[in-house]
């Protein structure tokens, strides 16, 4: 049996900021649920199953917080599962929702979640806890140092400079000015980035994402549902994902099967998604890429892994404006993860922004003539990768 | 029900206190025991020919058990490094340098601190930690069978 065609017919998100101090988590996650249902022209009764997108709950400080959210997202009486692959959670949750519909088991599926990363001041301590107690925990690995290490290797391999990473931040913050939901936004300069406080070489403060609070939701349906409810759905035409070892040091040396600096596993996920979607020339066929880039250095290897250019070429193309708003490939018109990172739903926000572009409802962020958009998510010890292709036309 | 008099900035503070005793197992146990004798032991799969640090019970590439132990050299090459300048809660006071180093005779790199580095100028210090740079293993005076018994030095 071939899979059912899956379509996005409704999306919703809250504003993202450091604290939503006017409501608790369960109330926050309901806001995105209601927004997505309204956008899909559906009532809670129309939803057949719920996929809950939530990464480590230590940030929020209430364990396995989907329990507390069931009532507020209209999950009672329905199958509900939580998906957690660290930073890739939102991408994986989307894929779980996709397979719910593609399998034919459910017609209408809600993918929803929320995060409040700044509820604890100890977020990098929490992220240090994802490494094992035997070999790696003691050496201050966290998401900042983990990606700083691979960035130093990237710079060594390809000659990429700190200024080239800074240009990514400048573009992201400027793009985010058009995004009413973005956490960080503004006109800044390369010097502003270079002069911000040193964190972990090559990162300065502005190279790093904020700790965001907010919620996101998406309604998925099949072809028949899309025809009934939505004039311009975004069809999910390809999904690809892969997992890799927790030991990043395995990705170095002559016997490595993937290169640490390249985020090379995304190439595997991308090829799978492109194959399903019939994408053969990404630069010509895809107009928007919403990338999981919590740190400035993470854009170039993803652009390269997704086949938009060769290895080591993205930085120079970035300098030349090739990824600016309205260029041949617009990268993260929303400002991306660099400007907004509610970890448990960040991958879902990337998917929402990519789908909105295809549905021609991205507001001030809208890129003209979008037929295909791609969204990524990355999680764990640089080890979970998802890629999703959204199209204006179904397969 | 919230009303205008409910202060939005009100918070309830809390913290988690959870203790653990992590079972070490045979493979990690042998590695830690060897550290007391200033030896760094890796596992190897004869099927794939790959040697692993940290040691693994099985080889992810061949899906076979690692069936050999091999001793790593006390020198190696930096594969990736960073110097941390910012203070994070419950992590070491900055600055400190960490690096993935592939020790001689071993196919994968293992993370540890790089000690004894002048980090008064971080940019200059990073210039000494480029991938490909040779480093040495240095043990603490009294190894206790912990991964922190050794570190790297230039």
């Amino acid at each position: 049996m071939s899979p059912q065609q899956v379509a996005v017919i409704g999306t919703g998100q809250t504003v993202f900021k450091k604290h939503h101090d006017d409501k608790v988590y369960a109330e926050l996650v309901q806001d995105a649920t209601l927004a997505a249902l309204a956008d899909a022209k559906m009532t809670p009764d129309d939803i057949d199953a719920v996929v809950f997108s939530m990464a480590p709950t230590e940030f929020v400080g209430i364990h396995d917080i989907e329990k507390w959210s069931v009532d507020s997202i209209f999950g009672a009486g329905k199958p509900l599962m939580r998906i957690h692959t660290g930073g890739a959670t939102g991408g994986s949750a989307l894929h779980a929702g996709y397979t719910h519909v593609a399998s034919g088991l459910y017609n209408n599926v809600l993918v929803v979640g929320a995060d409040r990363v700044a509820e604890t001041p100890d977020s990098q301590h929490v992220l240090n806890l994802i490494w094992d107690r035997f070999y790696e925990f003691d050496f201050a690995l966290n998401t900042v140092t983990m990606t700083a290490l691979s960035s130093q290797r990237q710079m060594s391999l390809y000659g990429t400079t700190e200024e080239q990473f800074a240009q990514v931040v400048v573009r992201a913050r400027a793009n985010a000015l058009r995004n009413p939901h973005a956490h960080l936004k503004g006109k800044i300069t390369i010097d502003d980035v270079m002069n911000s406080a040193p964190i972990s070489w090559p990162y300065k403060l502005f190279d790093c994402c904020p700790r965001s609070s907010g919620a996101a939701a998406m309604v998925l349906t099949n072809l028949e549902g899309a025809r009934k409810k939505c004039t311009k759905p975004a069809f999910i035409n390809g999904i690809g994902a892969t997992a890799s070892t927790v030991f990043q040091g395995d990705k170095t040396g002559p016997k490595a099967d993937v290169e640490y600096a390249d985020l090379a596993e995304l190439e595997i996920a991308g090829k799978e998604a492109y194959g399903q979607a019939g994408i053969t020339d990404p630069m010509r066929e895809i107009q928007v890429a919403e990338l999981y880039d919590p740190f400035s250095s993470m854009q170039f290897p993803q652009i390269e892994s997704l086949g938009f250019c060769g290895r080591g070429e993205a930085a120079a193309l970035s300098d030349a404006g090739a990824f600016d708003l309205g260029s041949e490939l617009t990268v993260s018109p929303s400002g991306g993860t660099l400007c907004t990172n509610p970890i448990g739903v960040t991958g879902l926000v990337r998917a929402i922004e990519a789908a909105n572009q295809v549905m021609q409802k991205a507001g001030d962020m809208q890129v003209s003539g979008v037929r295909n958009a791609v969204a990524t998510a990355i999680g764990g010890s640089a080890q979970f990768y998802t890629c999703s292709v959204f199209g204006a036309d179904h397969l | 029900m919230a009303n205008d008099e409910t202060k939005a900035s009100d918070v309830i503070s809390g913290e988690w206190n959870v203790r653990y005793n992590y079972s070490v197992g045979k493979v990690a146990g042998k590695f830690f025991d060897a550290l007391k004798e200033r030896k760094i032991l890796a596992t190897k799969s004869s099927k794939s020919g790959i040697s692993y640090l940290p040691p693994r019970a099985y080889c992810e590439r061949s899906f076979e058990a690692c069936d050999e132990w091999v001793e790593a050299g006390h020198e190696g090459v930096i594969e990736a490094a960073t110097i941390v300048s910012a203070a994070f809660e419950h992590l070491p006071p900055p600055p400190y340098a960490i690096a993935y180093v592939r020790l001689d005779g071993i196919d994968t790199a293992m993370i540890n601190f790089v000690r004894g580095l002048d980090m008064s100028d971080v940019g200059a210090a990073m210039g000494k930690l480029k991938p490909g740079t040779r480093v040495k293993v240095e043990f603490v005076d009294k190894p206790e069978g912990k991964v922190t018994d050794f570190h790297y030095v230039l």
Side-chain angles (χ1 to χ4, degrees):
Chain A
M1 193 179 85
S2 60
Q4 300 271 319
Q5 175 74 53
V6 183
V8 181
I9 60 163
T11 63
Q13 46 183 320
T14 65
V15 163
F16 294 97
K17 52 187 181 177
K18 190 170 183 186
H19 295 291
H20 279 270
D21 50 14
D22 58 335
K23 53 189 69 186
V24 298
Y25 183 94
E27 296 158 354
L28 185 64
V29 74
Q30 188 175 63
D31 287 352
T33 305
L34 291 171
L37 286 173
D39 194 39
K41 302 184 186 67
M42 282 190 175
T43 65
D45 286 344
D46 292 324
I47 298 296
D48 302 313
V50 179
V51 176
F52 201 86
S53 177
M54 186 54 182
T57 43
E58 288 87 348
F59 302 114
V60 177
I62 297 169
H63 239 311
D64 304 337
I65 200 157
E66 68 276 11
K67 303 186 309 305
W68 190 26
S69 309
V70 168
D71 311 356
S72 61
I73 58 173
F74 315 111
K78 293 166 188 168
L80 182 150
M81 65 166 70
R82 172 181 163 203
I83 299 290
H84 171 19
T85 50
T89 293
S92 301
L94 174 76
H95 290 189
Y98 170 95
T99 49
H100 274 26
V101 176
S103 67
L105 272 177
Y106 307 105
N107 293 328
N108 304 321
V109 174
L110 173 71
V111 184
V112 62
D115 213 335
R116 293 159 80 98
V117 181
E119 216 81 339
T120 175
D122 300 331
S123 59
Q124 287 302 328
H125 170 58
V126 170
L127 290 163
N128 178 229
L129 290 167
I130 72 174
W131 276 276
D132 74 80
R133 281 280 167 158
F134 309 105
Y135 305 122
E136 298 206 301
F137 169 83
D138 287 297
F139 304 113
L141 279 173
N142 53 45
T143 52
V144 175
T145 54
M146 158 182 97
T147 53
L149 285 160
S150 59
S151 302
Q152 186 242 15
R153 192 170 166 88
Q154 179 192 152
M155 294 166 84
S156 173
L157 273 176
Y158 303 116
T160 321
T161 65
E162 291 179 74
E163 287 80 2
Q164 288 178 309
F165 294 148
Q167 177 58 33
V168 170
V169 185
V170 171
R171 180 172 55 234
R173 296 273 185 103
N175 285 355
L177 281 168
R178 297 161 183 262
N179 180 357
H181 303 110
H183 184 164
L184 298 180
K185 54 183 85 176
K187 285 210 174 302
I188 59 167
T189 65
I190 288 176
D191 281 347
D192 291 335
V193 181
M194 296 299 291
N195 293 328
S196 61
I199 302 291
S200 179
W201 200 94
Y203 294 152
K204 282 76 62 188
L205 184 62
F206 287 11
D207 289 300
C208 309
C209 63
R211 298 174 295 147
S212 307
S213 164
M218 184 181 260
V219 176
L220 305 177
T221 188
N222 53 25
L223 191 56
E224 191 188 342
R227 282 181 174 145
K228 268 193 240 168
K229 294 279 188 182
C230 189
T231 51
K232 274 188 189 163
F235 294 101
I236 305 179
N237 289 334
I239 62 164
T242 193
S244 193
T245 176
V246 73
F247 291 109
Q248 299 173 102
D250 288 13
K251 304 177 196 178
T252 68
K255 290 189 181 170
D257 55 352
V258 286
E259 167 53 51
Y260 186 30
D262 287 348
L263 304 177
E265 295 93 333
L266 186 60
E267 192 175 326
I268 300 166
K271 277 184 179 158
E272 173 62 33
Y274 287 171
Q276 293 168 17
I279 302 283
T280 54
D281 184 351
M283 199 61 171
R284 198 174 52 78
E285 295 169 277
I286 295 170
Q287 291 76 42
V288 168
E290 275 286 341
L291 302 180
Y292 190 91
D293 53 355
F295 300 96
S296 58
S297 59
M298 290 179 71
Q299 269 203 7
F300 303 147
Q302 288 187 74
I303 289 168
E304 293 159 7
S305 288
L306 292 173
F308 291 111
C309 62
R311 287 286 172 207
E313 294 175 4
L317 286 168
S318 166
D319 289 345
F323 309 128
D324 291 356
L325 208 61
S327 58
E328 194 178 357
L329 175 71
T330 301
V331 173
S332 299
S334 66
T337 311
L338 259 172
C339 298
T340 308
N341 196 3
I343 298 175
V345 291
T346 299
L348 187 58
V349 173
R350 302 280 70 74
I352 287 170
E353 296 294 356
N356 284 351
Q357 288 284 345
V358 168
M359 297 162 90
Q360 305 288 319
K361 58 172 197 181
D364 291 343
M365 295 174 274
Q366 186 64 52
V367 174
S368 66
V370 178
R371 302 305 295 170
N372 292 298
V374 64
T376 65
I378 303 177
S381 175
Q383 61 184 139
F384 300 112
Y385 296 78
T386 70
C387 177
S388 312
V389 178
F390 301 85
D393 303 310
H394 64 77
L395 294 175
Chain B
M1 197 68 195
N3 59 47
D4 291 343
E5 277 152 42
T6 305
K7 272 194 251 156
S9 58
D10 281 351
V11 297
I12 291 174
S13 297
E15 86 185 65
W16 289 1
N17 297 297
V18 189
R19 290 174 295 168
Y20 297 91
N21 293 301
Y22 299 98
S23 294
V24 169
K26 285 183 183 173
V27 173
K30 180 158 177 158
F31 173 81
F32 292 132
D33 283 346
L35 288 178
K36 292 179 199 163
E37 297 164 26
R38 294 182 165 77
K39 287 180 180 173
I40 301 171
L41 295 187
T43 55
K44 185 174 180 178
S45 159
S46 57
K47 182 89 179 274
S48 68
I50 298 172
S51 50
Y52 290 97
L53 269 179
R56 274 12 100 72
Y58 74 99
C59 169
E60 288 195 357
R61 217 77 72 77
S62 62
F63 300 111
E64 295 281 345
C66 287
D67 48 4
E68 294 175 42
W69 284 93
V70 289
E71 188 174 347
H74 281 203
E75 291 187 26
V77 62
I78 291 177
E79 294 288 0
T82 186
I83 293 173
V84 181
S85 301
F88 296 109
E89 297 284 339
H90 308 298
L91 292 175
Y96 52 92
I98 53 176
Y100 275 106
V101 169
R102 198 158 44 81
L103 293 175
D104 292 346
I106 307 303
D107 293 315
T108 66
M110 190 163 177
I111 195 158
N112 210 311
F113 293 110
V114 182
R115 305 279 193 203
L117 184 69
D118 176 6
M119 289 180 281
S120 52
D121 179 340
V122 169
M126 282 305 303
K128 294 177 183 169
L129 299 178
K130 290 193 167 144
T133 304
R134 299 278 308 167
V135 295
K136 291 176 185 163
V137 167
E138 187 175 84
F139 271 84
V140 297
D141 289 342
K142 290 180 182 167
E144 299 171 352
K146 295 179 186 168
V147 73
T148 46
D149 282 346
F150 74 96
H151 49 258
Y152 305 126
V153 292
L154 287 175

